[in-house]
Amino acid sequence: MCDDDHGNGVPRRALFVTGAAAALTLGSVTFASGADAAGGPGTPASGTETRTVRGTLPTGSPDFVYLPVEVPRGVREIKVAYTYEKPSVPAGTAGNALDIGIFDERGTDLGGRGFRGWSGGARSEFFLRGDDATPGYLPGPVRPGTWHIALGPYTVAPQGLPYEVTVTLTYGEQAVTPKPVYPPARARGRGRAWYRGDCHLHSWYSDGRRTPAEIAALARAAGLDFINSSDHNTHSSHPHWADQAGDDLLILLGEEITTRNGHVLALGTDPGTFVDWRYRARDNRFGKFARRIREAGGLVVPAHPHATCIGCGWKFGFGEADAVEVWNGPYTPDDEIALADWDNMLVATVRSGGGHDGRGWLPAMGNSDAHRDPDQVGTPQTVVLADDLTREAVQAGLRAGRSYVAESQLVSLAFTASGARGEHAGIGERLKVAPDTPVTVRVEAAGAPRCTVRLVTDEGLLFTSDPLPVSGAGTVEWRTTAAYAAYVRAELRHEAAAGPLPGALAAFTNPIFLGDAR
């Protein structure tokens, strides 16, 4: 239970549990009818009405608290502002953080039919009407009925979370909602080639500080061929990318589904696709929404699975994933752990008889997760072999693991394996040779001065080269057999600062599998 004090003469009401998991609903906020506000039946409504709600959420509050708002006829705009207290807390104790969004008269059922926007903790107020809305929210008709302001107590201090929500309705004629225009699903391309992309980017349509135009300019400067929009828990940016796409830049549309048990990228979904985030791993609902992503033409990519921020670590497993984001932003110990964990998954796959032809293995990728200055778009970037610069071709290359990750456009590599009779395989492929057939693994690197080449197999790290010259270019060869290595993957590492730990990555590849499929 919590206190719920509605201002402006609206009586106190108590919380009660809804049928939804981990959610509570407050008592309703009511307004005069539009006709009453305007002075009587048949009179066009005008002017505004405001209500303020105050309350305190206790520790242990559910993930979502819904504040119903009874919207009468004749409303053209809804504006919501909120504040909450942030008392000091002891070191190591979470303070208050309260997210916010809104659902319209179609309701709050899981799946998001009534979803009209979410800003998390990025904004203190928002509005929406027929022709416009605050970034993060969806323009559209303001229809009468019960709307719900969604409060998300992300963390609650021991003292509780006192909040205040102010709702203002503006009466008048509905504005016309513009028809959305989306970016094309193809760019000019170079036929079958290696294309560079960054598929984890945030704009001011969630908690980023950059406009789509600014992001597109930075993507071009970083040498990228494609990007994917991935704002937190909203698809509101989708209609705002069309004029940033061009022959030289493919813009895919998506979302970062930001649950309390980890984040996952919806990569390259159909325009206008929304994927709900209001569940935890224990609810056993992720499979439904992973299928929703794929039904909308997208890839399911868990993001920064070992990130240490609250709610960021991935708890849903990888059975529904199409790829995994192993490298996120500037290289950190979190990424080193994610790389090792991904490599362990590769080992488990080949030990169980999977890998490439039988699929079963999970390709890796890397993205910047850039939000604002000084975050660098394209650091890192995924370089994918695709048949053309189209949504479907790029996705096919990522899904197949025909890709490597580089820290910038300056770093490139070629990675191949060949057999004694001319057999040949590249990244993400299988070299079909007998177990004792000699195999030559070759790495050609550029843009990696003083980096070392490391070759990692299911048996661990088996080869480390001398540092590359200051020119950054070099070629390394290593010989093995399928009996000795079920797969090989390559890493480019910077020089280590000190101690036994390896240097930060400059690049790494998806594996080449060796031997007949088991």
Side-chain angles (χ1 to χ4, degrees):
M1 302 289 289
C2 80
D3 293 333
D4 176 23
D5 180 13
H6 293 205
N8 300 304
V10 181
R12 174 187 294 251
R13 294 177 174 86
L15 253 63
F16 61 90
V17 181
T18 71
L24 293 172
T25 300
L26 296 159
S28 296
V29 178
T30 60
F31 291 81
S33 71
D36 291 342
T43 304
S46 61
T48 63
E49 279 191 286
T50 296
R51 298 285 186 271
T52 297
V53 178
R54 300 177 185 88
T56 300
L57 299 175
T59 56
S61 290
D63 290 344
F64 301 100
V65 175
Y66 295 105
L67 174 62
V69 178
E70 301 299 334
V71 176
R73 297 183 183 279
V75 174
R76 72 182 305 269
E77 180 181 292
I78 295 177
K79 181 178 180 179
V80 177
Y82 82 120
T83 61
Y84 60 94
E85 295 182 16
K86 299 179 181 179
S88 60
V89 295
T93 301
N96 284 334
L98 183 64
D99 295 342
I100 196 167
I102 194 167
F103 291 77
D104 66 20
E105 83 290 346
R106 292 170 293 180
T108 63
D109 288 349
L110 199 61
R113 184 167 175 265
F115 177 78
R116 290 296 294 270
W118 181 257
S119 49
R123 300 180 186 279
S124 60
E125 62 181 46
F126 63 86
F127 77 91
L128 50 86
R129 60 175 185 259
D131 63 338
D132 199 6
T134 299
Y137 294 81
L138 306 179
V142 180
R143 293 178 289 261
T146 304
W147 289 53
H148 289 84
I149 296 169
L151 300 176
Y154 200 69
T155 54
V156 179
Q159 302 95 317
L161 195 161
Y163 65 87
E164 179 178 290
V165 179
T166 299
V167 183
T168 301
L169 304 184
T170 299
Y171 295 92
E173 185 176 349
Q174 293 278 352
V176 176
T177 303
K179 183 178 179 179
V181 178
Y182 301 111
R186 65 168 52 243
R188 180 169 291 171
R190 305 180 299 277
R192 186 174 176 84
W194 293 93
Y195 296 99
R196 294 175 178 263
D198 187 347
C199 295
H200 190 167
L201 296 162
H202 295 279
S203 75
W204 69 352
Y205 286 89
S206 61
D207 62 343
R209 292 294 180 267
R210 292 166 173 157
T211 65
E214 290 169 331
I215 293 171
L218 291 169
R220 288 180 166 98
L224 301 182
D225 301 295
F226 65 93
I227 59 174
N228 177 72
S229 72
S230 56
D231 283 307
H232 294 284
N233 299 339
T234 180
H235 60 300
S236 61
S237 74
H238 286 193
H240 301 278
W241 289 101
D243 56 355
Q244 305 307 321
D247 287 344
D248 63 332
L249 185 64
L250 173 68
I251 298 180
L252 307 177
L253 302 177
E255 178 186 340
E256 184 175 12
I257 298 96
T258 307
T259 80
R260 300 298 179 88
N261 285 161
H263 304 181
V264 59
L265 302 176
L267 196 163
T269 52
D270 294 335
T273 298
F274 168 71
V275 184
D276 212 324
W277 78 99
R278 294 171 295 158
Y279 43 85
R280 288 180 180 257
R282 66 190 176 208
D283 299 323
N284 294 317
R285 288 169 170 163
F286 176 65
K288 172 182 177 181
F289 293 100
R291 290 190 293 275
R292 165 72 171 143
I293 294 170
R294 281 192 284 270
E295 288 167 0
L299 301 183
V300 179
V301 184
H304 46 64
H306 290 277
T308 57
C309 48
I310 295 174
C312 295
W314 185 247
K315 304 297 185 185
F316 294 91
F318 297 94
E320 295 285 353
D322 296 303
V324 58
E325 184 187 76
V326 167
W327 186 354
N328 174 276
Y331 200 73
T332 66
D334 296 350
D335 302 306
E336 189 70 35
I337 294 170
L339 181 68
D341 191 40
W342 170 68
D343 190 71
N344 288 338
M345 287 192 283
L346 292 178
V347 173
T349 296
V350 298
R351 294 287 183 268
S352 64
H356 193 262
D357 296 320
R359 193 39 201 263
W361 73 283
L362 190 63
M365 63 183 307
N367 302 297
S368 73
D369 198 1
H371 285 69
R372 60 188 69 82
D373 292 340
D375 299 351
Q376 295 185 16
V377 172
T379 300
Q381 52 194 250
T382 298
V383 190
V384 59
L385 180 61
D387 289 336
D388 206 347
L389 190 51
T390 67
R391 169 187 166 190
E392 292 80 7
V394 167
Q395 289 175 320
L398 294 172
R399 190 185 295 110
R402 299 192 304 264
S403 60
Y404 66 92
V405 181
E407 66 180 356
S408 75
Q409 63 182 316
L410 300 177
V411 180
S412 62
L413 59 81
F415 180 47
T416 59
S418 56
R421 298 182 179 179
E423 305 95 334
H424 183 275
I427 299 171
E429 298 176 341
R430 175 175 290 278
L431 182 68
K432 295 182 178 181
V433 293
D436 58 352
T437 297
V439 172
T440 300
V441 176
R442 181 181 176 91
V443 179
E444 299 175 50
R450 303 298 299 169
C451 287
T452 56
V453 177
R454 299 182 1 143
L455 297 176
V456 182
T457 78
D458 56 309
E459 296 292 341
L461 174 64
L462 295 185
F463 175 84
T464 302
S465 76
D466 293 331
L468 296 173
V470 292
S471 67
T475 300
V476 170
E477 288 190 349
W478 178 66
R479 288 172 176 80
T480 188
T481 65
Y484 190 48
Y487 68 81
V488 185
R489 61 179 186 82
E491 297 178 355
L492 293 180
R493 293 271 186 172
H494 290 287
E495 294 179 288
L501 296 177
L505 280 176
F508 78 96
T509 71
N510 275 299
I512 299 173
F513 295 92
L514 305 180
D516 292 332
R518 301 175 185 178

